[in-house]
Amino acid sequence: MRNPFGRTGPHPAPDTEPDPGPGADSDRGADPGGRGGRIRAAGLLRSLLAVVLGALPVLVFPAPGLWWAAYVCLVPWMLLVRTAPGARRAALDGWCGGIGFLLAVHHWLLPSVHVFLLVMAALLGLLWLPWGVLVRALLGGTPTPARAAAALCAVPSGWLLIELVRSWEGLGGPWGLLGASQWNVPVALRLASVGGVWLVSLLVVAANTAVVLLVAVPGLRVVGVAGLVACALAAGTAAWGVGVPRTSGAVRVAMVQPGLHGGTDGAERRLDRAVELTRGLAGQRLDLVVWGESGVSRDPAGDPELTARLTALAREVDAPLLVNVDARRTDRPGIYKSALLFGPDGPTGDRYDKMRLVPFGEYVPARGLLGWATSVGKAAQEDRRRGTAPVVMRMPDDGRMLGVGPLVCFESAFPDMSRRLVRDGAEVLVVQSATSTFQHSWAPAQHASLAALRAAETGRPVVHATLTGISAAYGPDGARVGPPVGTDVSGAVVRELPLSETSTVYARWGDWPLYGAFVVVGAVCAAAGGGALRRPAPGRPGRRARTGRG
């Protein structure tokens, strides 16, 4: 007869635990060695380690710019996650690493948002919670070849979906996408022309996953090598199989960077300096002059004197002047950030109002609840208003009308916005930016680098003009044209940019890597639910040996 305790025989086996004897602690629940405390301390140290390891990828972005380290920067974090004793610990490792990543890539926001940076990192870090479970499920223990092969596809896809979710404007926008670290790598720029920055991120995380297999699972090194070979083949195919856009003509664009001007009269002194620098461009056969974001602090529509001044300036340099106004509009309520085009005959009527605003910097989300942020940081005292549609401005160029697509600052981080402008007919993309609040941080260099990716993705030249640096220009292949204008410069530079009519794969087909990532993650979840990727259960123990006492 088999008893309820799973032992054979007519009677249950007696308790064989030895008598603790005299002098022993009679409280069975006591922990005289502090084992529980040691476990909690070890868990806390592991969480702190996850935060540090999650922060390592910040080194691959400008200004450190260790782009080559992107292909191994996630390996230490993933090695930690795969050793988690359970799914709950793996999720916690993913969350803590996500917090470290977000704090590191947004650290320059700390003077402006203060405690909200930690809150933001803690909330958005939850996106890495399922990713941690996924990493452990596919790479933990001794994976089967099937699980290892699935990891090479699913782990990068899971990361990509995290980048997609946090790219929503309301969650802070697509700053610190891992693929953006490869902005100056020609092979990566060709990949971006095929699948945008998403495809570059996918390849980078796939390489990290393959390295984890090489390092941690000796029996599956063949799978790791195969993963690295596949990544190399994808990059090589893009490098040699996807040509750079064919050029057709050129456009001469001037970027005016007046520099840092503080104080109560800073806006007027900045305007005067920009006018002075623009006048110095006369006679240089320009097609367009671009000022940075918020270069004008009054709405020209309600200031005839300012309108006349800007018109005379465009006439003097014999080129259209694209300015950026940060002011209360006279024809409707509210403050707008707007790109306005002035020609030698006055305003052309082209106006673009910024559509995607910076949380806390240009508006306070749920101001009724979070409005107190204005008292502890540099949050916007009044919300800016949003524009409703992108605008392609037309200006004469050698007997034809050249399409110019303006973006304002933060909007250059969104791949879909530049793609939309190009599909609407933009032949040159212009970013008007101002990062003076973060002048001595890594932010200006990181922001300028994004224009290289937007150029490669769309096959169109991109001008990144700022008030205080870094200003830069990029050709349709994403390569920088001329040296950048640093944050310590007050001046104007001219860049001759090649034009192109080539339509890139990304411009035609859009964010297809994201759709593929959804399919892969969905397939892996379905396979896991069906038991196809389940870890083999440990062997059933044999019959318990009977002791003399038993």
Side-chain angles (χ1 to χ4, degrees), residues 109-137:
L109 284 173
L110 188 59
S112 296
V113 299
H114 295 284
V115 68
F116 281 104
L117 181 60
L118 183 58
V119 174
M120 178 201 73
L123 292 177
L124 292 183
L126 292 171
L127 294 173
W128 277 269
L129 188 149
W131 186 77
V133 176
L134 180 67
V135 169
R136 180 187 177 275

PDB file of all heavy atoms in Angstrom, residues 109-137:
ATOM      1  N   LEU A 109      19.820  65.243 -17.412  1.00  0.00           N
ATOM      2  CA  LEU A 109      18.550  65.891 -17.065  1.00  0.00           C
ATOM      3  C   LEU A 109      18.425  66.199 -15.578  1.00  0.00           C
ATOM      4  O   LEU A 109      17.506  66.911 -15.170  1.00  0.00           O
ATOM      5  CB  LEU A 109      17.379  64.983 -17.468  1.00  0.00           C
ATOM      6  CG  LEU A 109      17.016  64.902 -18.952  1.00  0.00           C
ATOM      7  CD1 LEU A 109      15.963  63.831 -19.170  1.00  0.00           C
ATOM      8  CD2 LEU A 109      16.530  66.243 -19.476  1.00  0.00           C
ATOM      9  N   LEU A 110      19.326  65.659 -14.764  1.00  0.00           N
ATOM     10  CA  LEU A 110      19.189  65.779 -13.313  1.00  0.00           C
ATOM     11  C   LEU A 110      19.051  67.225 -12.840  1.00  0.00           C
ATOM     12  O   LEU A 110      18.196  67.517 -11.998  1.00  0.00           O
ATOM     13  CB  LEU A 110      20.383  65.101 -12.628  1.00  0.00           C
ATOM     14  CG  LEU A 110      20.299  64.971 -11.108  1.00  0.00           C
ATOM     15  CD1 LEU A 110      19.072  64.165 -10.696  1.00  0.00           C
ATOM     16  CD2 LEU A 110      21.563  64.325 -10.556  1.00  0.00           C
ATOM     17  N   PRO A 111      19.851  68.197 -13.349  1.00  0.00           N
ATOM     18  CA  PRO A 111      19.671  69.578 -12.867  1.00  0.00           C
ATOM     19  C   PRO A 111      18.310  70.174 -13.195  1.00  0.00           C
ATOM     20  O   PRO A 111      17.870  71.115 -12.533  1.00  0.00           O
ATOM     21  CB  PRO A 111      20.795  70.343 -13.591  1.00  0.00           C
ATOM     22  CG  PRO A 111      21.797  69.310 -13.966  1.00  0.00           C
ATOM     23  CD  PRO A 111      20.999  68.090 -14.273  1.00  0.00           C
ATOM     24  N   SER A 112      17.643  69.624 -14.197  1.00  0.00           N
ATOM     25  CA  SER A 112      16.370  70.198 -14.616  1.00  0.00           C
ATOM     26  C   SER A 112      15.170  69.528 -13.974  1.00  0.00           C
ATOM     27  O   SER A 112      14.189  70.192 -13.623  1.00  0.00           O
ATOM     28  CB  SER A 112      16.237  70.116 -16.145  1.00  0.00           C
ATOM     29  OG  SER A 112      17.228  70.908 -16.779  1.00  0.00           O
ATOM     30  N   VAL A 113      15.208  68.205 -13.826  1.00  0.00           N
ATOM     31  CA  VAL A 113      14.021  67.492 -13.352  1.00  0.00           C
ATOM     32  C   VAL A 113      14.179  66.928 -11.944  1.00  0.00           C
ATOM     33  O   VAL A 113      13.208  66.463 -11.356  1.00  0.00           O
ATOM     34  CB  VAL A 113      13.634  66.358 -14.327  1.00  0.00           C
ATOM     35  CG1 VAL A 113      13.305  66.917 -15.692  1.00  0.00           C
ATOM     36  CG2 VAL A 113      14.749  65.325 -14.437  1.00  0.00           C
ATOM     37  N   HIS A 114      15.397  66.938 -11.418  1.00  0.00           N
ATOM     38  CA  HIS A 114      15.652  66.509 -10.049  1.00  0.00           C
ATOM     39  C   HIS A 114      15.065  65.118  -9.775  1.00  0.00           C
ATOM     40  O   HIS A 114      15.353  64.168 -10.471  1.00  0.00           O
ATOM     41  CB  HIS A 114      15.118  67.556  -9.062  1.00  0.00           C
ATOM     42  CG  HIS A 114      15.839  68.868  -9.159  1.00  0.00           C
ATOM     43  ND1 HIS A 114      17.090  69.067  -8.638  1.00  0.00           N
ATOM     44  CD2 HIS A 114      15.493  70.054  -9.731  1.00  0.00           C
ATOM     45  CE1 HIS A 114      17.488  70.302  -8.873  1.00  0.00           C
ATOM     46  NE2 HIS A 114      16.536  70.929  -9.547  1.00  0.00           N
ATOM     47  N   VAL A 115      14.195  65.027  -8.773  1.00  0.00           N
ATOM     48  CA  VAL A 115      13.712  63.731  -8.309  1.00  0.00           C
ATOM     49  C   VAL A 115      12.910  62.997  -9.377  1.00  0.00           C
ATOM     50  O   VAL A 115      12.814  61.771  -9.361  1.00  0.00           O
ATOM     51  CB  VAL A 115      12.857  63.918  -7.035  1.00  0.00           C
ATOM     52  CG1 VAL A 115      11.560  64.647  -7.361  1.00  0.00           C
ATOM     53  CG2 VAL A 115      12.564  62.581  -6.371  1.00  0.00           C
ATOM     54  N   PHE A 116      12.373  63.715 -10.350  1.00  0.00           N
ATOM     55  CA  PHE A 116      11.587  63.064 -11.389  1.00  0.00           C
ATOM     56  C   PHE A 116      12.437  62.128 -12.240  1.00  0.00           C
ATOM     57  O   PHE A 116      11.918  61.201 -12.855  1.00  0.00           O
ATOM     58  CB  PHE A 116      10.897  64.106 -12.270  1.00  0.00           C
ATOM     59  CG  PHE A 116       9.658  64.676 -11.638  1.00  0.00           C
ATOM     60  CD1 PHE A 116       9.657  65.934 -11.086  1.00  0.00           C
ATOM     61  CD2 PHE A 116       8.490  63.943 -11.591  1.00  0.00           C
ATOM     62  CE1 PHE A 116       8.521  66.455 -10.499  1.00  0.00           C
ATOM     63  CE2 PHE A 116       7.341  64.446 -11.005  1.00  0.00           C
ATOM     64  CZ  PHE A 116       7.355  65.714 -10.461  1.00  0.00           C
ATOM     65  N   LEU A 117      13.737  62.359 -12.304  1.00  0.00           N
ATOM     66  CA  LEU A 117      14.595  61.460 -13.069  1.00  0.00           C
ATOM     67  C   LEU A 117      14.586  60.065 -12.446  1.00  0.00           C
ATOM     68  O   LEU A 117      14.505  59.056 -13.165  1.00  0.00           O
ATOM     69  CB  LEU A 117      16.025  62.016 -13.120  1.00  0.00           C
ATOM     70  CG  LEU A 117      17.015  61.168 -13.927  1.00  0.00           C
ATOM     71  CD1 LEU A 117      16.558  61.033 -15.366  1.00  0.00           C
ATOM     72  CD2 LEU A 117      18.411  61.776 -13.868  1.00  0.00           C
ATOM     73  N   LEU A 118      14.659  60.006 -11.128  1.00  0.00           N
ATOM     74  CA  LEU A 118      14.619  58.708 -10.452  1.00  0.00           C
ATOM     75  C   LEU A 118      13.252  58.052 -10.601  1.00  0.00           C
ATOM     76  O   LEU A 118      13.150  56.835 -10.845  1.00  0.00           O
ATOM     77  CB  LEU A 118      14.969  58.878  -8.975  1.00  0.00           C
ATOM     78  CG  LEU A 118      15.040  57.589  -8.139  1.00  0.00           C
ATOM     79  CD1 LEU A 118      16.069  56.636  -8.728  1.00  0.00           C
ATOM     80  CD2 LEU A 118      15.374  57.917  -6.694  1.00  0.00           C
ATOM     81  N   VAL A 119      12.198  58.851 -10.485  1.00  0.00           N
ATOM     82  CA  VAL A 119      10.848  58.312 -10.655  1.00  0.00           C
ATOM     83  C   VAL A 119      10.667  57.777 -12.069  1.00  0.00           C
ATOM     84  O   VAL A 119      10.131  56.674 -12.287  1.00  0.00           O
ATOM     85  CB  VAL A 119       9.799  59.393 -10.347  1.00  0.00           C
ATOM     86  CG1 VAL A 119       8.395  58.888 -10.654  1.00  0.00           C
ATOM     87  CG2 VAL A 119       9.903  59.838  -8.893  1.00  0.00           C
ATOM     88  N   MET A 120      11.124  58.555 -13.051  1.00  0.00           N
ATOM     89  CA  MET A 120      11.011  58.136 -14.452  1.00  0.00           C
ATOM     90  C   MET A 120      11.771  56.840 -14.691  1.00  0.00           C
ATOM     91  O   MET A 120      11.271  55.909 -15.333  1.00  0.00           O
ATOM     92  CB  MET A 120      11.560  59.232 -15.360  1.00  0.00           C
ATOM     93  CG  MET A 120      11.537  58.871 -16.846  1.00  0.00           C
ATOM     94  SD  MET A 120      12.704  59.846 -17.826  1.00  0.00           S
ATOM     95  CE  MET A 120      14.278  59.121 -17.315  1.00  0.00           C
ATOM     96  N   ALA A 121      12.996  56.755 -14.153  1.00  0.00           N
ATOM     97  CA  ALA A 121      13.805  55.559 -14.352  1.00  0.00           C
ATOM     98  C   ALA A 121      13.157  54.341 -13.698  1.00  0.00           C
ATOM     99  O   ALA A 121      13.159  53.240 -14.270  1.00  0.00           O
ATOM    100  CB  ALA A 121      15.204  55.783 -13.786  1.00  0.00           C
ATOM    101  N   ALA A 122      12.581  54.536 -12.506  1.00  0.00           N
ATOM    102  CA  ALA A 122      11.954  53.415 -11.810  1.00  0.00           C
ATOM    103  C   ALA A 122      10.717  52.916 -12.567  1.00  0.00           C
ATOM    104  O   ALA A 122      10.481  51.709 -12.671  1.00  0.00           O
ATOM    105  CB  ALA A 122      11.578  53.824 -10.392  1.00  0.00           C
ATOM    106  N   LEU A 123       9.933  53.843 -13.123  1.00  0.00           N
ATOM    107  CA  LEU A 123       8.720  53.452 -13.833  1.00  0.00           C
ATOM    108  C   LEU A 123       9.039  52.835 -15.197  1.00  0.00           C
ATOM    109  O   LEU A 123       8.532  51.767 -15.540  1.00  0.00           O
ATOM    110  CB  LEU A 123       7.791  54.651 -13.996  1.00  0.00           C
ATOM    111  CG  LEU A 123       7.171  55.199 -12.700  1.00  0.00           C
ATOM    112  CD1 LEU A 123       6.335  56.438 -12.985  1.00  0.00           C
ATOM    113  CD2 LEU A 123       6.315  54.129 -12.017  1.00  0.00           C
ATOM    114  N   LEU A 124       9.889  53.515 -15.977  1.00  0.00           N
ATOM    115  CA  LEU A 124      10.228  52.982 -17.299  1.00  0.00           C
ATOM    116  C   LEU A 124      11.107  51.744 -17.194  1.00  0.00           C
ATOM    117  O   LEU A 124      11.115  50.911 -18.100  1.00  0.00           O
ATOM    118  CB  LEU A 124      10.926  54.055 -18.132  1.00  0.00           C
ATOM    119  CG  LEU A 124      10.072  55.243 -18.563  1.00  0.00           C
ATOM    120  CD1 LEU A 124      10.876  56.190 -19.444  1.00  0.00           C
ATOM    121  CD2 LEU A 124       8.835  54.775 -19.301  1.00  0.00           C
ATOM    122  N   GLY A 125      11.837  51.617 -16.094  1.00  0.00           N
ATOM    123  CA  GLY A 125      12.645  50.416 -15.908  1.00  0.00           C
ATOM    124  C   GLY A 125      11.819  49.147 -15.861  1.00  0.00           C
ATOM    125  O   GLY A 125      12.327  48.051 -16.129  1.00  0.00           O
ATOM    126  N   LEU A 126      10.535  49.276 -15.534  1.00  0.00           N
ATOM    127  CA  LEU A 126       9.650  48.112 -15.528  1.00  0.00           C
ATOM    128  C   LEU A 126       9.551  47.461 -16.900  1.00  0.00           C
ATOM    129  O   LEU A 126       9.191  46.283 -17.007  1.00  0.00           O
ATOM    130  CB  LEU A 126       8.257  48.529 -15.048  1.00  0.00           C
ATOM    131  CG  LEU A 126       8.144  48.958 -13.580  1.00  0.00           C
ATOM    132  CD1 LEU A 126       6.770  49.555 -13.309  1.00  0.00           C
ATOM    133  CD2 LEU A 126       8.420  47.781 -12.653  1.00  0.00           C
ATOM    134  N   LEU A 127       9.868  48.209 -17.961  1.00  0.00           N
ATOM    135  CA  LEU A 127       9.821  47.636 -19.307  1.00  0.00           C
ATOM    136  C   LEU A 127      10.815  46.490 -19.464  1.00  0.00           C
ATOM    137  O   LEU A 127      10.613  45.596 -20.296  1.00  0.00           O
ATOM    138  CB  LEU A 127      10.111  48.725 -20.346  1.00  0.00           C
ATOM    139  CG  LEU A 127       9.069  49.839 -20.473  1.00  0.00           C
ATOM    140  CD1 LEU A 127       9.569  50.932 -21.405  1.00  0.00           C
ATOM    141  CD2 LEU A 127       7.747  49.281 -20.969  1.00  0.00           C
ATOM    142  N   TRP A 128      11.897  46.514 -18.683  1.00  0.00           N
ATOM    143  CA  TRP A 128      12.914  45.461 -18.784  1.00  0.00           C
ATOM    144  C   TRP A 128      12.582  44.260 -17.897  1.00  0.00           C
ATOM    145  O   TRP A 128      13.317  43.282 -17.904  1.00  0.00           O
ATOM    146  CB  TRP A 128      14.285  46.016 -18.418  1.00  0.00           C
ATOM    147  CG  TRP A 128      14.960  46.714 -19.541  1.00  0.00           C
ATOM    148  CD1 TRP A 128      15.810  46.171 -20.469  1.00  0.00           C
ATOM    149  CD2 TRP A 128      14.862  48.107 -19.886  1.00  0.00           C
ATOM    150  NE1 TRP A 128      16.237  47.126 -21.366  1.00  0.00           N
ATOM    151  CE2 TRP A 128      15.659  48.325 -21.020  1.00  0.00           C
ATOM    152  CE3 TRP A 128      14.167  49.181 -19.336  1.00  0.00           C
ATOM    153  CZ2 TRP A 128      15.808  49.583 -21.610  1.00  0.00           C
ATOM    154  CZ3 TRP A 128      14.296  50.431 -19.932  1.00  0.00           C
ATOM    155  CH2 TRP A 128      15.105  50.626 -21.045  1.00  0.00           C
ATOM    156  N   LEU A 129      11.518  44.334 -17.138  1.00  0.00           N
ATOM    157  CA  LEU A 129      11.148  43.228 -16.264  1.00  0.00           C
ATOM    158  C   LEU A 129      10.860  41.953 -17.071  1.00  0.00           C
ATOM    159  O   LEU A 129      11.451  40.902 -16.792  1.00  0.00           O
ATOM    160  CB  LEU A 129       9.962  43.657 -15.406  1.00  0.00           C
ATOM    161  CG  LEU A 129       9.511  42.735 -14.281  1.00  0.00           C
ATOM    162  CD1 LEU A 129       8.922  43.581 -13.149  1.00  0.00           C
ATOM    163  CD2 LEU A 129       8.458  41.744 -14.759  1.00  0.00           C
ATOM    164  N   PRO A 130       9.983  41.981 -18.086  1.00  0.00           N
ATOM    165  CA  PRO A 130       9.776  40.753 -18.878  1.00  0.00           C
ATOM    166  C   PRO A 130      10.998  40.368 -19.685  1.00  0.00           C
ATOM    167  O   PRO A 130      11.209  39.187 -19.976  1.00  0.00           O
ATOM    168  CB  PRO A 130       8.578  41.105 -19.778  1.00  0.00           C
ATOM    169  CG  PRO A 130       8.542  42.594 -19.809  1.00  0.00           C
ATOM    170  CD  PRO A 130       9.066  43.062 -18.497  1.00  0.00           C
ATOM    171  N   TRP A 131      11.827  41.350 -20.048  1.00  0.00           N
ATOM    172  CA  TRP A 131      13.045  41.025 -20.796  1.00  0.00           C
ATOM    173  C   TRP A 131      13.987  40.186 -19.934  1.00  0.00           C
ATOM    174  O   TRP A 131      14.622  39.251 -20.426  1.00  0.00           O
ATOM    175  CB  TRP A 131      13.735  42.316 -21.254  1.00  0.00           C
ATOM    176  CG  TRP A 131      14.910  42.095 -22.148  1.00  0.00           C
ATOM    177  CD1 TRP A 131      14.891  41.773 -23.470  1.00  0.00           C
ATOM    178  CD2 TRP A 131      16.294  42.199 -21.797  1.00  0.00           C
ATOM    179  NE1 TRP A 131      16.172  41.668 -23.968  1.00  0.00           N
ATOM    180  CE2 TRP A 131      17.049  41.932 -22.958  1.00  0.00           C
ATOM    181  CE3 TRP A 131      16.968  42.512 -20.619  1.00  0.00           C
ATOM    182  CZ2 TRP A 131      18.446  41.958 -22.965  1.00  0.00           C
ATOM    183  CZ3 TRP A 131      18.356  42.536 -20.621  1.00  0.00           C
ATOM    184  CH2 TRP A 131      19.075  42.254 -21.780  1.00  0.00           C
ATOM    185  N   GLY A 132      14.066  40.516 -18.647  1.00  0.00           N
ATOM    186  CA  GLY A 132      14.888  39.710 -17.750  1.00  0.00           C
ATOM    187  C   GLY A 132      14.392  38.279 -17.681  1.00  0.00           C
ATOM    188  O   GLY A 132      15.181  37.326 -17.702  1.00  0.00           O
ATOM    189  N   VAL A 133      13.065  38.091 -17.591  1.00  0.00           N
ATOM    190  CA  VAL A 133      12.501  36.742 -17.579  1.00  0.00           C
ATOM    191  C   VAL A 133      12.829  36.017 -18.876  1.00  0.00           C
ATOM    192  O   VAL A 133      13.166  34.820 -18.882  1.00  0.00           O
ATOM    193  CB  VAL A 133      10.981  36.816 -17.359  1.00  0.00           C
ATOM    194  CG1 VAL A 133      10.347  35.435 -17.444  1.00  0.00           C
ATOM    195  CG2 VAL A 133      10.669  37.459 -16.006  1.00  0.00           C
ATOM    196  N   LEU A 134      12.748  36.722 -20.005  1.00  0.00           N
ATOM    197  CA  LEU A 134      13.037  36.128 -21.307  1.00  0.00           C
ATOM    198  C   LEU A 134      14.495  35.683 -21.393  1.00  0.00           C
ATOM    199  O   LEU A 134      14.799  34.578 -21.886  1.00  0.00           O
ATOM    200  CB  LEU A 134      12.719  37.139 -22.408  1.00  0.00           C
ATOM    201  CG  LEU A 134      12.965  36.702 -23.852  1.00  0.00           C
ATOM    202  CD1 LEU A 134      11.999  35.594 -24.239  1.00  0.00           C
ATOM    203  CD2 LEU A 134      12.826  37.885 -24.807  1.00  0.00           C
ATOM    204  N   VAL A 135      15.409  36.532 -20.931  1.00  0.00           N
ATOM    205  CA  VAL A 135      16.837  36.184 -20.981  1.00  0.00           C
ATOM    206  C   VAL A 135      17.106  34.930 -20.161  1.00  0.00           C
ATOM    207  O   VAL A 135      17.809  34.013 -20.603  1.00  0.00           O
ATOM    208  CB  VAL A 135      17.689  37.368 -20.475  1.00  0.00           C
ATOM    209  CG1 VAL A 135      19.133  36.932 -20.266  1.00  0.00           C
ATOM    210  CG2 VAL A 135      17.633  38.532 -21.461  1.00  0.00           C
ATOM    211  N   ARG A 136      16.556  34.868 -18.946  1.00  0.00           N
ATOM    212  CA  ARG A 136      16.790  33.683 -18.117  1.00  0.00           C
ATOM    213  C   ARG A 136      16.161  32.442 -18.733  1.00  0.00           C
ATOM    214  O   ARG A 136      16.742  31.346 -18.713  1.00  0.00           O
ATOM    215  CB  ARG A 136      16.227  33.903 -16.718  1.00  0.00           C
ATOM    216  CG  ARG A 136      16.427  32.699 -15.805  1.00  0.00           C
ATOM    217  CD  ARG A 136      15.722  32.875 -14.471  1.00  0.00           C
ATOM    218  NE  ARG A 136      15.874  31.682 -13.653  1.00  0.00           N
ATOM    219  CZ  ARG A 136      15.079  30.607 -13.735  1.00  0.00           C
ATOM    220  NH1 ARG A 136      14.079  30.610 -14.608  1.00  0.00           N
ATOM    221  NH2 ARG A 136      15.291  29.557 -12.958  1.00  0.00           N
ATOM    222  N   ALA A 137      14.955  32.593 -19.287  1.00  0.00           N
ATOM    223  CA  ALA A 137      14.256  31.437 -19.840  1.00  0.00           C
ATOM    224  C   ALA A 137      15.009  30.817 -21.006  1.00  0.00           C
ATOM    225  O   ALA A 137      15.013  29.598 -21.178  1.00  0.00           O
ATOM    226  CB  ALA A 137      12.851  31.840 -20.271  1.00  0.00           C
TER     227      ALA A 137
END
